[in-house]
Amino acid sequence: MNPDLRAKLESNLSNYKDITAKLSTPEIYSDRVQMKNLNQELTKLEASVKLYQKYLQIEKSITDTKELLVDDDKEMVLIAQEELKKHKDDLFDVETKIIEVTVEKDPNDSRDVYMEIRAGTGGEEAAIFAGDLFKMYSRFTEKNKWEIEVINSNISDHGGFKEIIFKVVGNNVYSKLKFESGTHRVQRVPDTETQGRVHTSASTVAVLPIVEQVDDIEINPADLRIDTYRASGAGGQHVNKTDSAVRITHLPTGIVSECQDDRSQHKNKAKALEYLHSRLLSAEQEKQKKDTDESRKKQVGSGDRSERIRTYNFPQGRITDHRINLTLYKLEQVIDGNIEQLIDALTDESAK
C-alpha cells in the first residue's frame, strides 16, 4: 500500500476511535449540534475505517501464513501456499475498495438541504403535480428517518402547490437528493379533463445544500431589507392578526427569502436568514462552476415541458430518467417515495 494512503487511513482510524469515545459520553446528549456534527464525521470515516481494519486483519493473516512455509510437513506447506495466494487476492480487492471510498467526494454530500418545488408549464395540473412531488419526497424522507420542515408555501386552488420550500435534515441528505434538481414532466389525464385526453405539465425542483457555518458566505447586514407582513393560509386564529411573516431581500443580488411557517416573527426571521445563506452559496457556486451540475440555473431550467430530467407517464405506469436513459415501470412505487433505484443509478453514473 502507498505510504501516504496508509498514513491517511491511520489518521482516519485514530479520529474514528476518538469520535466514538466522545459519542459514548453522557455529556454529548446535552449538545445536539455537537452530537450531530460528530455523527456526520463518523459517517464520513466509517467506510474507509472498516475496510482498513479488514486490510490489517488480512495483512496479519499473510504474516502468520508465511511462517508455515518453512514447516517440515510438505502437505502443510502446500496448504499454506494456497492460503497465501487467497490472502493476497483478498488484500488486493480490499485495497481497491479503499481507494474507491477515499477518492475525493462532493464536499456538500453530508449537508442537509433546502428543496424548492415550483409549478411550471401546465397551470393547475402543474401545481397538483408539484404537490405529488412534495408527497414523494416526504415519504422518502420518512423512510430514511430524516426530518422535514416546511419553510414557505403557496397553495393552489385544487390543493397542489404553486411553490413550496422545505428543509430536510438527516445523514448525508444532499448526497441522496442532489440529482433531483431539474424539470420533472408529468403526462396524465387531469381530473378536470372531461374528454379523457392526456395532458403534459411540468414542475421544477431545486436542491440547495444548507450553509451550516456563517463563514461559508458573508452577508453585510447593510445589504438586507427586512419586511414583516401578516401570514396567510393555514395557521388558525393568529392569521392576519399579527405581522409574524418575514421577507428578507438581499439588495445586491435581488434574492428574496421568505418564511411564514412559524407564529414567532423571531423564528421566521432566523429561518429566512439561514435559507438566504444557502441561496447565496448556491448562486456563488453557480458563478464559479457554470459548466457543472452545481449550476442551479442549469439544473432547474425554465420549467418548460421541453426541458426535463425525468418524465412520469401515468397512463403507462412508466417513469423515465432522461439523463441516464433509465426507464422503470414502477410509477406507483416511485410516487409513493420509493426512489432509491433512480438515485442509486444516478449515483453510479456520476462516479464513472
Side-chain angles (χ1 to χ4, degrees):
M1 180 183 286
N2 181 289
D4 291 337
L5 178 58
R6 187 182 289 271
K8 180 179 180 180
L9 292 167
E10 284 289 343
S11 176
N12 287 354
L13 179 59
S14 177
N15 290 338
Y16 187 87
K17 289 177 179 178
D18 289 344
I19 293 170
T20 303
K22 287 179 183 176
L23 287 170
S24 66
T25 60
E27 295 80 11
I28 194 67
Y29 294 100
S30 62
D31 189 340
R32 293 188 64 184
V33 174
Q34 187 184 13
M35 185 169 70
K36 178 188 171 185
N37 291 338
L38 288 174
N39 273 313
Q40 287 183 339
E41 190 62 30
L42 201 68
T43 301
K44 287 182 191 175
L45 295 171
E46 190 167 23
S48 66
V49 166
K50 297 297 184 188
L51 285 169
Y52 183 51
Q53 289 174 327
K54 187 175 181 180
Y55 186 91
L56 293 176
Q57 289 173 356
I58 297 171
E59 271 193 331
K60 185 177 185 304
S61 296
I62 288 174
T63 301
D64 294 342
T65 304
K66 281 181 176 178
E67 292 178 359
L68 298 175
L69 294 176
V70 295
D71 198 288
D72 293 334
D73 187 335
K74 291 184 178 179
E75 187 176 345
M76 180 63 71
V77 170
L78 288 173
I79 292 172
Q81 286 174 338
E82 286 296 317
E83 284 189 358
L84 188 62
K85 182 179 182 301
K86 182 181 181 302
H87 289 324
K88 287 182 176 179
D89 288 342
D90 290 343
L91 196 71
F92 177 80
D93 290 341
V94 173
E95 185 171 358
T96 300
K97 290 178 182 176
I98 287 173
I99 292 170
E100 287 176 0
V101 301
T102 52
V103 170
E104 186 176 350
K105 297 178 181 178
D106 188 331
N108 289 322
D109 275 352
S110 63
R111 291 185 186 267
D112 302 325
V113 304
Y114 283 115
M115 293 190 73
E116 307 171 355
I117 304 176
R118 292 185 173 86
T121 306
E124 189 60 37
E125 172 62 13
I128 293 171
F129 179 52
D132 293 337
L133 290 175
F134 175 65
K135 290 174 188 173
M136 180 179 79
Y137 294 126
S138 297
R139 289 165 182 162
F140 181 67
T141 294
E142 289 172 10
K143 288 179 62 180
N144 283 277
K145 294 181 170 54
W146 296 339
E147 295 178 13
I148 193 168
E149 177 185 0
V150 174
I151 301 299
N152 204 27
S153 63
N154 185 351
I155 300 172
S156 68
D157 294 337
H158 290 80
F161 292 104
K162 295 177 183 177
E163 173 189 79
I164 183 165
I165 299 168
F166 55 99
K167 181 179 181 180
V168 184
V169 176
N171 286 330
N172 297 317
V173 177
Y174 185 74
S175 69
K176 296 291 186 183
L177 293 176
K178 62 184 176 183
F179 299 111
E180 295 305 298
S181 287
T183 298
H184 297 241
R185 185 175 70 169
V186 62
Q187 295 172 327
R188 64 183 171 190
V189 180
D191 293 337
T192 54
E193 170 57 54
T194 57
Q195 299 183 28
R197 292 174 300 184
V198 173
H199 288 223
T200 299
S201 305
S203 294
T204 63
V205 174
V207 182
L208 312 176
I210 291 179
V211 180
E212 294 175 354
Q213 299 294 330
V214 176
D215 292 341
D216 286 353
I217 191 95
E218 292 184 8
I219 297 179
N220 185 345
D223 290 337
L224 301 179
R225 186 179 72 234
I226 301 176
D227 302 307
T228 58
Y229 58 99
R230 293 181 181 179
S232 60
Q237 293 182 350
H238 90 289
V239 172
N240 293 328
K241 290 188 178 180
T242 59
D243 291 341
S244 60
V246 175
R247 180 187 298 110
I248 302 177
T249 305
H250 186 247
L251 300 175
T253 61
I255 291 175
V256 177
S257 173
E258 295 179 274
C259 184
Q260 60 172 331
D261 186 60
D262 204 284
R263 296 193 178 198
S264 163
Q265 184 186 112
H266 177 73
K267 290 181 180 178
N268 282 335
K269 181 180 177 182
K271 291 176 184 177
L273 274 172
E274 183 182 62
Y275 177 53
L276 179 64
H277 271 95
S278 292
R279 289 287 303 275
L280 289 171
L281 176 64
S282 179
E284 182 64 25
Q285 289 176 337
E286 178 183 339
K287 202 183 303 178
Q288 294 174 357
K289 301 183 178 181
K290 290 182 180 178
D291 59 338
T292 70
D293 282 343
E294 289 182 47
S295 169
R296 182 171 172 276
K297 182 178 179 181
K298 180 181 177 182
Q299 288 178 352
V300 175
S302 67
D304 183 79
R305 282 185 290 245
S306 63
E307 297 181 6
R308 82 280 191 211
I309 62 164
R310 195 177 290 159
T311 295
Y312 304 71
N313 185 299
F314 278 79
Q316 297 178 18
R318 167 174 56 83
I319 183 165
T320 300
D321 196 294
H322 304 286
R323 295 164 294 182
I324 53 175
N325 295 319
L326 173 65
T327 295
L328 303 173
Y329 287 88
K330 298 179 178 180
L331 183 56
E332 283 190 21
Q333 295 97 309
V334 168
I335 290 294
D336 200 38
N338 299 298
I339 59 176
E340 294 88 349
Q341 191 171 348
L342 289 163
I343 288 173
D344 290 346
L346 288 160
T347 302
D348 289 345
E349 183 64 26
S350 72
K352 291 179 181 178

